[in-house]
Coordinates of all heavy atoms in Angstrom, one line a residue:
M285 N 0.9 -1.1 0.0 CA 0.0 -0.1 0.0 C 0.9 1.2 0.0 O 1.8 1.3 0.8 CB -0.9 0.0 1.2 CG -1.8 1.2 1.4 SD -2.7 1.3 2.9 CE -4.0 0.3 2.5
N286 N 0.5 2.1 -0.8 CA 1.3 3.4 -0.9 C 0.6 4.4 0.0 O -0.3 5.1 -0.5 CB 1.3 3.9 -2.4 CG 2.2 5.1 -2.6 OD1 2.5 5.9 -1.7 ND2 2.6 5.4 -3.8
K287 N 1.0 4.6 1.2 CA 0.5 5.4 2.2 C 0.5 6.8 1.8 O -0.4 7.7 2.0 CB 1.0 5.2 3.6 CG 0.7 3.9 4.2 CD 1.3 3.8 5.6 CE 0.8 2.5 6.2 NZ 1.4 2.3 7.6
E288 N 1.7 7.2 1.1 CA 1.8 8.7 0.8 C 0.8 9.0 -0.3 O 0.2 10.2 -0.2 CB 3.2 8.9 0.3 CG 4.3 8.9 1.3 CD 4.0 10.1 2.3 OE1 3.7 11.2 1.9 OE2 4.2 9.7 3.5
K289 N 0.6 8.1 -1.2 CA -0.5 8.4 -2.3 C -1.8 8.5 -1.6 O -2.6 9.4 -1.9 CB -0.4 7.2 -3.3 CG -1.5 7.5 -4.4 CD -1.2 6.6 -5.6 CE -2.0 6.9 -6.8 NZ -1.6 8.0 -7.5
A290 N -2.2 7.6 -0.6 CA -3.4 7.7 0.0 C -3.7 9.0 0.7 O -4.7 9.5 0.7 CB -3.4 6.4 1.1
Y291 N -2.6 9.4 1.4 CA -2.6 10.7 2.2 C -2.9 11.9 1.1 O -3.6 12.9 1.5 CB -1.4 11.0 3.0 CG -1.4 10.1 4.3 CD1 -0.3 9.3 4.5 CD2 -2.4 9.9 5.0 CE1 -0.3 8.5 5.6 CE2 -2.5 9.1 6.3 CZ -1.3 8.4 6.4 OH -1.4 7.6 7.6
D292 N -2.2 11.8 0.0 CA -2.4 12.8 -1.1 C -3.8 12.9 -1.5 O -4.4 13.9 -1.7 CB -1.5 12.6 -2.2 CG 0.0 12.9 -1.8 OD1 0.3 13.4 -0.8 OD2 0.9 12.3 -2.7
I293 N -4.4 11.7 -1.7 CA -5.8 11.6 -2.2 C -6.7 12.2 -1.1 O -7.7 12.9 -1.4 CB -6.1 10.1 -2.4 CG1 -5.4 9.6 -3.7 CG2 -7.7 10.0 -2.7 CD1 -5.5 8.1 -3.8
I294 N -6.5 11.8 0.2 CA -7.4 12.3 1.2 C -7.2 13.8 1.5 O -8.3 14.6 1.7 CB -6.9 11.6 2.7 CG1 -7.3 10.1 2.6 CG2 -7.5 12.3 3.8 CD1 -6.8 9.3 3.6
D295 N -6.0 14.4 1.1 CA -5.9 15.8 1.1 C -6.7 16.6 0.2 O -7.4 17.5 0.4 CB -4.4 16.2 0.9 CG -3.5 15.9 2.2 OD1 -4.1 15.7 3.3 OD2 -2.3 15.9 2.0
V296 N -6.7 16.0 -1.1 CA -7.6 16.5 -2.0 C -9.0 16.4 -1.8 O -9.8 17.3 -1.9 CB -7.2 15.9 -3.5 CG1 -8.3 16.4 -4.5 CG2 -5.8 16.3 -3.9
L297 N -9.4 15.3 -1.4 CA -10.8 15.0 -1.0 C -11.2 16.0 0.1 O -12.3 16.4 0.2 CB -11.1 13.6 -0.6 CG -11.0 12.5 -1.7 CD1 -11.0 11.1 -1.2 CD2 -11.9 12.7 -2.8
G298 N -10.3 16.2 1.1 CA -10.6 16.9 2.3 C -10.8 18.5 1.8 O -11.8 19.1 2.3
D299 N -10.0 18.9 0.8 CA -10.1 20.3 0.4 C -11.5 20.5 -0.3 O -12.2 21.5 -0.1 CB -9.0 20.7 -0.6 CG -7.7 20.9 0.1 OD1 -7.6 21.0 1.3 OD2 -6.7 20.8 -0.6
I300 N -11.9 19.6 -1.1 CA -13.1 19.5 -1.9 C -14.3 19.4 -0.9 O -15.3 20.1 -1.0 CB -13.2 18.5 -3.0 CG1 -12.1 18.8 -4.0 CG2 -14.5 18.3 -3.6 CD1 -11.9 17.6 -5.0
S301 N -14.2 18.6 0.2 CA -15.3 18.4 1.1 C -15.5 19.7 2.0 O -16.6 20.1 2.3 CB -15.0 17.3 2.1 OG -14.0 17.6 2.9
K302 N -14.4 20.4 2.2 CA -14.6 21.8 2.9 C -15.3 22.8 2.0 O -16.1 23.5 2.5 CB -13.2 22.2 3.4 CG -12.5 21.5 4.4 CD -11.2 21.9 4.7 CE -10.6 21.0 5.8 NZ -9.2 21.3 6.0
A303 N -14.9 22.8 0.7 CA -15.6 23.7 -0.2 C -17.1 23.5 -0.2 O -17.9 24.3 -0.5 CB -14.9 23.7 -1.6
H304 N -17.4 22.1 -0.1 CA -19.0 21.8 -0.2 C -19.6 21.7 1.1 O -20.8 21.5 1.1 CB -19.1 20.5 -1.0 CG -18.8 20.6 -2.5 ND1 -19.7 20.8 -3.5 CD2 -17.6 20.5 -3.1 CE1 -19.3 20.8 -4.7 NE2 -18.0 20.7 -4.5
N305 N -18.8 21.8 2.2 CA -19.3 21.7 3.5 C -20.0 20.2 3.7 O -21.1 20.3 4.2 CB -20.3 22.8 3.9 CG -20.4 22.9 5.4 OD1 -19.5 22.6 6.2 ND2 -21.7 23.4 5.8
V306 N -19.3 19.3 3.2 CA -19.7 17.8 3.4 C -18.5 17.0 3.9 O -17.4 17.5 4.0 CB -20.3 17.3 2.1 CG1 -21.5 18.2 1.6 CG2 -19.1 17.2 0.9
S307 N -18.8 15.7 4.1 CA -17.7 14.8 4.6 C -16.9 14.4 3.5 O -17.3 14.4 2.2 CB -18.3 13.7 5.3 OG -19.1 12.8 4.4
V308 N -15.7 13.9 3.8 CA -14.8 13.3 2.8 C -15.5 12.2 2.3 O -15.3 11.9 0.9 CB -13.4 13.0 3.4 CG1 -12.5 12.3 2.5 CG2 -12.7 14.3 3.9
A309 N -16.1 11.3 3.0 CA -16.8 10.2 2.5 C -17.8 10.5 1.4 O -17.9 9.8 0.4 CB -17.4 9.3 3.6
Q310 N -18.5 11.6 1.6 CA -19.6 12.0 0.7 C -19.0 12.4 -0.6 O -19.5 12.1 -1.7 CB -20.4 13.1 1.2 CG -21.3 12.8 2.3 CD -22.0 14.0 2.8 OE1 -22.3 14.9 2.1 NE2 -22.3 13.9 4.1
V311 N -17.8 13.2 -0.6 CA -17.1 13.5 -1.9 C -16.6 12.2 -2.5 O -16.7 12.0 -3.8 CB -15.9 14.5 -1.5 CG1 -15.1 14.7 -2.7 CG2 -16.5 15.7 -1.0
A312 N -15.9 11.3 -1.8 CA -15.5 10.1 -2.5 C -16.6 9.3 -3.1 O -16.4 8.9 -4.2 CB -14.8 9.2 -1.3
L313 N -17.7 9.1 -2.4 CA -18.8 8.4 -3.0 C -19.3 9.2 -4.2 O -19.8 8.6 -5.3 CB -19.9 8.2 -2.0 CG -19.5 7.1 -0.9 CD1 -20.5 7.2 0.2 CD2 -19.4 5.7 -1.6
A314 N -19.5 10.5 -4.2 CA -19.9 11.3 -5.3 C -19.0 11.1 -6.5 O -19.5 10.9 -7.7 CB -20.0 12.8 -5.0
W315 N -17.7 11.1 -6.3 CA -16.8 10.8 -7.3 C -17.0 9.4 -7.9 O -16.9 9.4 -9.3 CB -15.3 10.9 -6.8 CG -14.3 10.7 -7.8 CD1 -13.8 11.4 -8.8 CD2 -13.6 9.4 -8.0 NE1 -12.9 10.8 -9.6 CE2 -12.6 9.6 -9.1 CE3 -13.5 8.2 -7.2 CZ2 -11.8 8.6 -9.5 CZ3 -12.8 7.2 -7.6 CH2 -11.8 7.4 -8.8
V316 N -17.2 8.5 -7.1 CA -17.4 7.1 -7.6 C -18.6 7.1 -8.5 O -18.6 6.5 -9.6 CB -17.5 6.0 -6.5 CG1 -18.0 4.6 -6.9 CG2 -16.2 5.9 -5.8
R317 N -19.7 7.6 -8.0 CA -21.0 7.8 -8.6 C -20.8 8.4 -10.1 O -21.6 8.0 -11.1 CB -22.0 8.4 -7.8 CG -23.4 8.6 -8.5 CD -24.3 9.4 -7.5 NE -23.7 10.7 -6.9 CZ -23.9 11.8 -7.6 NH1 -24.5 12.1 -8.7 NH2 -23.4 13.0 -7.0
L318 N -20.0 9.3 -10.3 CA -19.8 10.0 -11.5 C -18.8 9.4 -12.4 O -18.6 9.9 -13.5 CB -19.4 11.5 -11.2 CG -20.5 12.4 -10.3 CD1 -20.0 13.6 -9.9 CD2 -21.7 12.5 -11.3
Q319 N -18.3 8.2 -12.1 CA -17.4 7.6 -13.0 C -18.1 7.0 -14.1 O -19.2 6.5 -14.0 CB -16.5 6.5 -12.3 CG -15.6 7.1 -11.2 CD -14.7 8.2 -11.7 OE1 -13.8 7.9 -12.7 NE2 -15.0 9.4 -11.3
K320 N -17.6 7.0 -15.4 CA -18.1 6.5 -16.6 C -18.4 4.9 -16.3 O -17.4 4.3 -15.9 CB -17.2 6.8 -17.8 CG -17.8 6.2 -19.1 CD -17.0 6.5 -20.2 CE -17.6 6.1 -21.5 NZ -16.7 6.4 -22.7
G321 N -19.5 4.5 -16.7 CA -19.8 3.0 -16.6 C -20.3 2.5 -15.2 O -20.6 1.4 -15.1
I322 N -20.2 3.4 -14.2 CA -20.7 3.0 -13.0 C -22.2 3.0 -12.8 O -22.8 4.0 -13.1 CB -20.1 3.9 -11.7 CG1 -18.6 3.7 -11.7 CG2 -20.7 3.6 -10.5 CD1 -18.0 2.4 -11.4
T323 N -22.8 1.9 -12.5 CA -24.3 1.9 -12.4 C -24.7 1.7 -11.0 O -26.0 2.0 -10.7 CB -24.8 0.7 -13.2 OG1 -24.2 -0.6 -12.7 CG2 -24.5 0.9 -14.7
S324 N -23.8 1.4 -10.1 CA -24.1 1.4 -8.7 C -23.0 1.6 -7.8 O -21.8 1.3 -8.3 CB -25.0 0.0 -8.3 OG -24.1 -1.0 -8.4
T325 N -23.2 1.9 -6.6 CA -22.0 2.1 -5.7 C -22.2 1.3 -4.4 O -23.3 1.4 -3.8 CB -21.9 3.6 -5.3 OG1 -21.8 4.5 -6.5 CG2 -20.7 3.9 -4.4
I326 N -21.2 0.6 -4.1 CA -21.4 -0.2 -2.8 C -20.8 0.7 -1.7 O -19.6 1.1 -1.8 CB -20.7 -1.6 -3.0 CG1 -21.3 -2.4 -4.1 CG2 -20.6 -2.3 -1.7 CD1 -20.4 -3.5 -4.5
I327 N -21.6 0.8 -0.7 CA -21.0 1.5 0.5 C -20.9 0.5 1.6 O -21.5 -0.5 1.7 CB -22.1 2.7 0.9 CG1 -23.5 2.1 1.2 CG2 -22.1 3.7 -0.1 CD1 -24.4 3.3 1.7
G328 N -20.0 0.8 2.6 CA -19.7 0.0 3.8 C -20.0 0.5 5.0 O -19.3 0.5 5.9
A329 N -21.3 1.1 5.2 CA -21.8 1.7 6.5 C -21.8 0.7 7.5 O -22.4 -0.4 7.3 CB -23.0 2.5 6.2
K330 N -21.3 1.1 8.7 CA -21.4 0.1 9.8 C -22.5 0.7 10.8 O -22.9 -0.1 11.6 CB -20.1 0.0 10.6 CG -19.1 -0.8 9.7 CD -17.9 -1.1 10.5 CE -16.9 -1.7 9.7 NZ -15.6 -2.1 10.3
T331 N -22.9 1.9 10.7 CA -23.8 2.5 11.6 C -24.9 3.3 10.9 O -24.6 3.7 9.7 CB -23.1 3.5 12.6 OG1 -22.6 4.6 11.9 CG2 -22.0 2.8 13.4
I332 N -26.0 3.6 11.4 CA -26.9 4.4 10.8 C -26.4 5.7 10.6 O -26.8 6.3 9.5 CB -28.2 4.4 11.7 CG1 -28.9 3.2 11.9 CG2 -29.2 5.5 11.3 CD1 -29.4 2.6 10.7
D333 N -25.6 6.3 11.3 CA -25.0 7.7 11.1 C -24.2 7.5 9.8 O -24.1 8.5 9.0 CB -24.2 8.1 12.3 CG -25.1 8.5 13.5 OD1 -26.3 8.8 13.3 OD2 -24.6 8.6 14.6
Q334 N -23.3 6.5 9.7 CA -22.6 6.4 8.4 C -23.4 6.2 7.3 O -23.1 6.8 6.2 CB -21.6 5.2 8.6 CG -20.4 5.5 9.5 CD -19.5 4.3 9.6 OE1 -19.9 3.1 9.3 NE2 -18.3 4.5 10.0
L335 N -24.5 5.4 7.3 CA -25.4 5.2 6.3 C -26.0 6.6 5.8 O -26.0 6.9 4.6 CB -26.4 4.2 6.6 CG -27.5 4.0 5.5 CD1 -26.9 3.4 4.2 CD2 -28.6 3.1 6.0
N336 N -26.5 7.3 6.7 CA -27.1 8.6 6.5 C -26.2 9.5 5.8 O -26.6 10.3 4.9 CB -27.8 9.2 7.8 CG -28.9 8.5 8.2 OD1 -29.7 7.9 7.3 ND2 -29.2 8.4 9.5
D337 N -25.0 9.6 6.3 CA -23.9 10.5 5.7 C -23.6 10.0 4.4 O -23.6 10.9 3.4 CB -22.6 10.4 6.6 CG -21.6 11.5 6.1 OD1 -21.8 12.6 6.2 OD2 -20.5 10.9 5.6
N338 N -23.5 8.7 4.0 CA -23.2 8.2 2.7 C -24.4 8.5 1.7 O -24.0 8.9 0.6 CB -23.0 6.7 2.8 CG -21.7 6.3 3.4 OD1 -21.3 5.1 3.6 ND2 -20.8 7.2 4.0
L339 N -25.4 8.4 2.2 CA -26.6 8.7 1.3 C -26.6 10.2 0.8 O -27.2 10.4 -0.3 CB -27.9 8.3 1.9 CG -28.0 6.7 2.2 CD1 -29.4 6.4 3.0 CD2 -28.1 5.9 0.9
K340 N -26.1 11.0 1.6 CA -26.2 12.4 1.2 C -25.3 12.6 0.0 O -25.3 13.7 -0.7 CB -25.7 13.3 2.4 CG -26.8 13.4 3.5 CD -26.2 14.1 4.7 CE -27.2 14.1 5.9 NZ -26.7 14.7 7.0
S341 N -24.4 11.7 -0.3 CA -23.4 11.9 -1.4 C -24.2 12.1 -2.8 O -23.6 12.6 -3.8 CB -22.5 10.9 -1.4 OG -23.1 9.5 -1.9
I342 N -25.4 11.5 -2.9 CA -26.2 11.6 -4.1 C -26.5 13.0 -4.6 O -26.9 13.2 -5.7 CB -27.4 10.7 -4.1 CG1 -28.4 11.1 -3.1 CG2 -27.0 9.2 -3.9 CD1 -29.8 10.3 -3.1
V343 N -26.5 13.9 -3.7 CA -26.9 15.3 -4.0 C -25.7 16.3 -4.3 O -25.8 17.4 -4.6 CB -27.9 16.0 -3.0 CG1 -29.2 15.3 -2.9 CG2 -27.1 16.2 -1.7
I344 N -24.5 15.7 -4.2 CA -23.3 16.5 -4.4 C -22.9 16.5 -5.9 O -22.9 15.5 -6.6 CB -22.1 15.9 -3.7 CG1 -22.4 16.0 -2.0 CG2 -20.8 16.6 -4.0 CD1 -21.3 15.3 -1.2
N345 N -22.7 17.7 -6.4 CA -22.4 17.9 -7.8 C -21.0 18.4 -7.8 O -20.7 19.6 -7.5 CB -23.3 18.8 -8.5 CG -24.7 18.3 -8.7 OD1 -24.9 17.1 -9.1 ND2 -25.7 19.2 -8.3
L346 N -20.1 17.6 -8.3 CA -18.7 17.9 -8.3 C -18.4 18.7 -9.7 O -18.9 18.1 -10.7 CB -17.7 16.8 -8.2 CG -17.8 16.0 -6.8 CD1 -17.1 14.7 -6.8 CD2 -17.4 16.9 -5.7
S347 N -17.5 19.6 -9.7 CA -17.2 20.3 -11.0 C -16.3 19.5 -11.8 O -15.6 18.6 -11.2 CB -16.7 21.7 -10.7 OG -15.3 21.6 -10.1
A348 N -16.2 19.8 -13.1 CA -15.1 19.3 -13.8 C -13.8 19.4 -13.2 O -13.0 18.4 -13.3 CB -15.3 19.8 -15.2
D349 N -13.5 20.5 -12.7 CA -12.2 20.8 -12.2 C -11.9 19.9 -11.0 O -10.8 19.3 -10.8 CB -12.0 22.2 -11.8 CG -10.6 22.6 -11.3 OD1 -9.5 22.2 -12.0 OD2 -10.5 23.2 -10.1
E350 N -12.9 19.7 -10.1 CA -12.7 18.8 -8.9 C -12.7 17.4 -9.4 O -11.7 16.7 -8.8 CB -14.0 19.1 -8.0 CG -14.0 20.4 -7.3 CD -15.5 20.7 -6.8 OE1 -16.5 20.1 -7.1 OE2 -15.5 21.4 -5.7
L351 N -13.4 16.9 -10.3 CA -13.3 15.6 -10.8 C -11.9 15.3 -11.4 O -11.2 14.3 -11.1 CB -14.3 15.3 -11.9 CG -15.6 15.2 -11.3 CD1 -16.7 15.2 -12.5 CD2 -15.9 14.0 -10.5
K352 N -11.4 16.4 -12.0 CA -10.0 16.2 -12.6 C -8.9 16.1 -11.5 O -8.0 15.3 -11.6 CB -9.7 17.4 -13.5 CG -8.4 17.4 -14.2 CD -8.2 18.7 -15.1 CE -6.7 18.5 -15.8 NZ -6.5 19.7 -16.5
K353 N -9.2 16.9 -10.5 CA -8.1 16.9 -9.4 C -8.1 15.5 -8.7 O -7.1 15.0 -8.5 CB -8.4 17.9 -8.3 CG -8.2 19.3 -8.7 CD -8.5 20.3 -7.7 CE -8.3 21.8 -8.2 NZ -8.7 22.7 -7.1
I354 N -9.3 14.9 -8.5 CA -9.3 13.6 -8.0 C -8.8 12.6 -8.9 O -8.1 11.6 -8.4 CB -10.8 13.3 -7.4 CG1 -11.4 14.3 -6.4 CG2 -10.9 11.7 -6.9 CD1 -12.8 14.2 -6.1
D355 N -9.2 12.7 -10.0 CA -8.7 11.8 -11.1 C -7.1 11.7 -11.2 O -6.5 10.6 -11.1 CB -9.1 12.0 -12.5 CG -10.7 11.7 -12.7 OD1 -11.2 10.9 -11.8 OD2 -11.2 12.2 -13.6
E356 N -6.6 12.9 -11.2 CA -5.1 13.0 -11.2 C -4.4 12.4 -10.0 O -3.4 11.7 -10.2 CB -4.7 14.5 -11.5 CG -5.0 14.9 -12.8 CD -4.8 16.4 -13.1 OE1 -4.5 17.1 -12.1 OE2 -4.9 17.0 -14.2
V357 N -4.8 12.8 -8.8 CA -4.2 12.4 -7.6 C -4.4 10.9 -7.5 O -3.5 10.3 -6.8 CB -4.6 13.2 -6.5 CG1 -6.1 12.8 -5.9 CG2 -3.6 13.1 -5.2
S358 N -5.5 10.2 -7.9 CA -5.8 8.8 -7.7 C -5.4 7.9 -8.8 O -5.5 6.7 -8.6 CB -7.3 8.7 -7.3 OG -8.1 9.1 -8.4
A359 N -4.9 8.4 -9.9 CA -4.5 7.7 -11.0 C -3.5 6.6 -10.6 O -2.5 6.9 -9.9 CB -4.0 8.6 -12.2
L360 N -3.7 5.4 -11.1 CA -2.7 4.3 -10.9 C -1.7 4.4 -12.0 O -2.0 4.6 -13.1 CB -3.4 3.0 -10.8 CG -4.4 2.8 -9.7 CD1 -5.2 1.5 -9.9 CD2 -3.7 2.9 -8.3
P361 N -0.4 3.9 -11.6 CA 0.6 3.9 -12.7 C 0.2 2.8 -13.6 O -0.4 1.8 -13.3 CB 1.9 3.6 -11.9 CG 1.4 3.0 -10.6 CD 0.1 3.6 -10.3
K362 N 0.5 2.9 -15.0 CA 0.2 1.9 -15.9 C 1.1 0.6 -15.6 O 2.3 0.8 -15.3 CB 0.4 2.4 -17.3 CG -0.7 3.4 -17.7 CD -0.4 3.8 -19.1 CE -1.6 5.0 -19.4 NZ -1.8 5.2 -20.7
E363 N 0.5 -0.5 -15.7 CA 1.2 -1.7 -15.5 C 1.7 -2.4 -16.7 O 1.1 -2.1 -17.9 CB 0.3 -2.8 -14.7 CG -0.1 -2.2 -13.4 CD -0.8 -3.2 -12.5 OE1 -0.9 -4.4 -12.9 OE2 -1.4 -2.9 -11.5
Y364 N 2.8 -3.2 -16.7 CA 3.2 -3.9 -17.8 C 2.3 -5.1 -18.0 O 1.7 -5.6 -17.1 CB 4.7 -4.5 -17.3 CG 5.3 -5.4 -18.4 CD1 6.0 -4.9 -19.4 CD2 5.1 -6.7 -18.4 CE1 6.6 -5.7 -20.4 CE2 5.6 -7.6 -19.4 CZ 6.4 -7.0 -20.4 OH 6.9 -7.8 -21.5
P365 N 2.1 -5.3 -19.3 CA 2.7 -4.8 -20.5 C 1.9 -3.7 -21.2 O 2.4 -3.2 -22.2 CB 2.5 -6.1 -21.4 CG 1.2 -6.7 -21.1 CD 1.1 -6.5 -19.6
G366 N 0.9 -3.2 -20.4 CA 0.1 -2.1 -21.1 C 0.9 -0.8 -21.5 O 0.9 -0.3 -22.5
W367 N 1.8 -0.4 -20.6 CA 2.6 0.7 -20.9 C 3.6 0.5 -22.1 O 3.8 1.4 -22.9 CB 3.4 1.3 -19.7 CG 4.4 0.3 -19.2 CD1 4.3 -0.6 -18.1 CD2 5.7 0.1 -19.6 NE1 5.3 -1.3 -17.9 CE2 6.3 -0.9 -18.8 CE3 6.5 0.7 -20.6 CZ2 7.6 -1.3 -19.0 CZ3 7.8 0.3 -20.7 CH2 8.4 -0.7 -20.0
M368 N 4.0 -0.7 -22.2 CA 4.9 -1.0 -23.2 C 4.3 -1.2 -24.6 O 4.8 -0.6 -25.6 CB 5.6 -2.4 -23.0 CG 6.7 -2.7 -23.9 SD 7.6 -4.3 -23.6 CE 6.6 -5.4 -24.5
V369 N 3.1 -1.7 -24.6 CA 2.3 -1.7 -25.9 C 1.9 -0.4 -26.3 O 2.1 -0.1 -27.4 CB 1.1 -2.7 -25.6 CG1 0.2 -2.6 -26.9 CG2 1.4 -4.1 -25.3
E370 N 1.5 0.4 -25.3 CA 1.1 1.8 -25.7 C 2.3 2.5 -26.3 O 2.2 3.3 -27.3 CB 0.6 2.5 -24.4 CG 0.0 3.8 -24.8 CD -0.5 4.4 -23.5 OE1 -1.6 4.0 -23.0 OE2 0.0 5.4 -22.8
R371 N 3.5 2.4 -25.8 CA 4.7 3.1 -26.3 C 5.0 2.6 -27.5 O 5.4 3.4 -28.5 CB 5.9 2.9 -25.2 CG 7.1 3.6 -25.7 CD 8.3 3.5 -24.7 NE 8.7 2.2 -25.0 CZ 9.6 1.6 -24.0 NH1 10.0 2.2 -22.9 NH2 10.1 0.3 -24.3
Q372 N 5.0 1.3 -27.8 CA 5.4 0.7 -29.1 C 4.3 1.1 -30.2 O 4.8 1.1 -31.3 CB 5.5 -0.8 -29.0 CG 6.7 -1.3 -28.1 CD 6.8 -2.7 -28.0 OE1 5.7 -3.4 -28.1 NE2 8.0 -3.3 -27.8
M373 N 3.2 1.2 -29.8 CA 2.1 1.5 -30.9 C 2.0 2.9 -31.1 O 1.2 3.4 -32.0 CB 0.8 0.8 -30.4 CG 0.8 -0.8 -30.3 SD 1.2 -1.6 -31.8 CE -0.4 -1.4 -32.6
G374 N 2.4 3.8 -30.2 CA 2.2 5.1 -30.2 C 2.4 6.0 -31.5 O 1.6 6.7 -32.0
D375 N 3.6 5.6 -32.2 CA 3.8 6.3 -33.3 C 3.1 5.8 -34.5 O 3.2 6.3 -35.6 CB 5.4 6.2 -33.7 CG 5.9 4.8 -33.9 OD1 5.2 3.9 -33.5 OD2 7.0 4.6 -34.4
R376 N 2.4 4.7 -34.4 CA 1.6 4.0 -35.6 C 0.3 4.7 -35.8 O -0.3 4.6 -36.8 CB 1.3 2.6 -35.3 CG 2.6 1.8 -35.2 CD 2.3 0.4 -35.0 NE 3.6 -0.4 -34.9 CZ 3.6 -1.7 -34.9 NH1 2.6 -2.4 -35.2 NH2 4.8 -2.3 -34.8
F377 N -0.1 5.5 -34.8 CA -1.4 6.2 -35.0 C -1.3 7.8 -35.1 O -2.3 8.4 -35.0 CB -2.3 5.9 -33.7 CG -2.6 4.3 -33.7 CD1 -1.9 3.6 -32.8 CD2 -3.5 3.8 -34.6 CE1 -2.2 2.3 -32.7 CE2 -3.7 2.4 -34.5 CZ -3.1 1.6 -33.6
V378 N -0.2 8.2 -35.3 CA 0.1 9.6 -35.6 C -0.5 10.1 -36.9 O -0.2 9.4 -37.9 CB 1.7 10.0 -35.4 CG1 1.9 11.5 -35.8 CG2 2.2 9.5 -34.1
K379 N -1.1 11.1 -36.8 CA -1.8 11.6 -38.1 C -0.9 12.8 -38.7 O -0.4 13.5 -38.2 CB -3.2 12.1 -37.8 CG -4.2 11.0 -37.4 CD -5.6 11.5 -37.2 CE -6.5 10.4 -36.8 NZ -7.8 10.9 -36.6

């Protein structure tokens, strides 16, 4: 686990949550909900308070800039062989 990356993600989520006056969990769930191809979001609430907080994420509208910030900080490095194939094929599709 990359703890530094996790803390970087939490920092970005925290800044966005403060701007919206909501919890970090609500921002994270709103981001998941807004991902292309996502049709449902699984939440792991252990208490009624957590459940109620999580459910409030459906009314949060994140801006394109906020989504971009979360996407950038949470992006995973490309794994082999994907990065190699992309590099080798890159010049074949130049117009």
Side-chain angles (χ1 to χ4, degrees):
M285 176 186 283
N286 185 340
K287 288 185 181 180
E288 285 302 314
K289 184 172 188 68
Y291 289 129
D292 291 343
I293 295 168
I294 292 168
D295 288 343
V296 170
L297 293 174
D299 291 344
I300 295 169
S301 71
K302 287 176 187 168
H304 287 267
N305 197 30
V306 298
S307 71
V308 170
Q310 288 176 31
V311 173
L313 289 168
W315 176 78
V316 169
R317 176 179 50 90
L318 295 169
Q319 297 305 293
K320 183 178 180 179
I322 297 297
T323 58
S324 63
T325 304
I326 299 171
I327 57 176
K330 293 183 180 182
T331 67
I332 293 295
D333 289 338
Q334 287 178 341
L335 177 62
N336 289 331
D337 184 70
N338 288 181
L339 292 174
K340 291 176 186 174
S341 70
I342 64 172
V343 296
I344 297 172
N345 292 311
L346 298 174
S347 70
D349 184 53
E350 291 168 330
L351 290 169
K352 182 179 176 186
K353 287 179 184 177
I354 299 170
D355 288 343
E356 288 174 353
V357 74
S358 64
L360 297 173
K362 294 188 179 192
E363 294 184 11
Y364 178 86
W367 63 265
M368 188 178 87
V369 171
E370 187 176 285
R371 185 179 74 192
Q372 290 175 333
M373 301 295 284
D375 62 342
R376 294 182 186 197
F377 299 105
V378 175
K379 293 180 180 182

